[in-house]
Amino acid sequence: HALRAPTPALDMMRRWAADNEVHLVDVDAELPRETGYDAPASKHFMDLVHLSPEGHRATGELMAEALRPYFAQ
């Protein structure tokens, strides 16, 4: 059974962040996609829930890019 958040829950978090001017790093939407399927690439996961080392790197890169403006000099 999939343990990841269902689409309606993700949409609710996205709306809340937008409505409250909170920067959301939307990893589910921003990770590279699986070929022919609108979901994060399976190479980023060890199973249905846990990120693989490559998934952790990709997530870290998304977070770093989102945080970069807050640390720019």
Side-chain angles (χ1 to χ4, degrees):
H1 300 288
L3 299 175
R4 293 169 59 197
T7 301
L10 294 173
D11 291 341
M12 183 176 66
M13 289 187 296
R14 292 170 180 135
R15 278 193 310 274
W16 185 90
D19 291 347
N20 290 281
E21 299 180 16
V22 172
H23 190 106
L24 173 70
V25 178
D26 193 344
V27 174
D28 186 70
E30 296 180 40
L31 280 176
R33 312 318 277 170
E34 185 70 30
T35 301
Y37 191 67
D38 188 23
S42 60
K43 68 182 179 181
H44 295 299
F45 293 90
M46 294 180 357
D47 55 30
L48 293 173
V49 177
H50 300 97
L51 290 168
S52 67
E54 187 169 343
H56 279 288
R57 275 190 297 279
T59 298
E61 290 170 7
L62 292 173
M63 297 268 204
E65 187 62 32
L67 292 171
R68 188 166 284 115
Y70 298 102
F71 295 97
Q73 294 184 7

